[in-house]
Amino acid sequence: MHNTVALILACACVTYLTRIGGHVILSRFGEIHHRAKAALSAVPTAILTALVAPSIFTNGSAEALAILVAGLVALRASLMMSVAAGLATVVVLRALLA
């Protein structure tokens, strides 16, 4: 139990230091180019896509349909709404198809 809590805290610290480190490094450059800002703002979506996309091919049809739903919702709504829609879809489809 203590090892688990220590591991979670260590991971949280490393994650925080990584995130703050990027801000510290970028702040030394002053104003960054608008293209660099656009690229940096696309990173969370790119990482989420890289984590989720392989499940289209490795998991069942429920996951593939949920990813499709999340993608369609993302065209009109926020990232949080698209994740929620995808999650709800996969939960419902797994219950119906199982």
Side-chain angles (χ1 to χ4, degrees), residues 13-28:
C13 288
V14 169
T15 301
Y16 177 75
L17 291 174
T18 302
R19 291 181 61 96
I20 199 72
H23 291 289
V24 169
I25 290 170
L26 286 176
S27 68
R28 296 188 184 258

Side-chain angles (χ1 to χ4, degrees), residues 50-64 67 94:
L51 292 173
V52 171
S55 69
I56 292 173
F57 304 107
T58 59
N59 292 327
S61 58
E63 288 79 7
I67 291 170
R94 280 183 180 175

Side-chain angles (χ1 to χ4, degrees), residues 27-47:
S27 68
R28 296 188 184 258
F29 291 111
E31 186 66 27
I32 62 172
H33 196 269
H34 65 88
R35 289 186 182 173
K37 279 186 182 179
L40 289 173
S41 67
V43 168
T45 305
I47 290 173

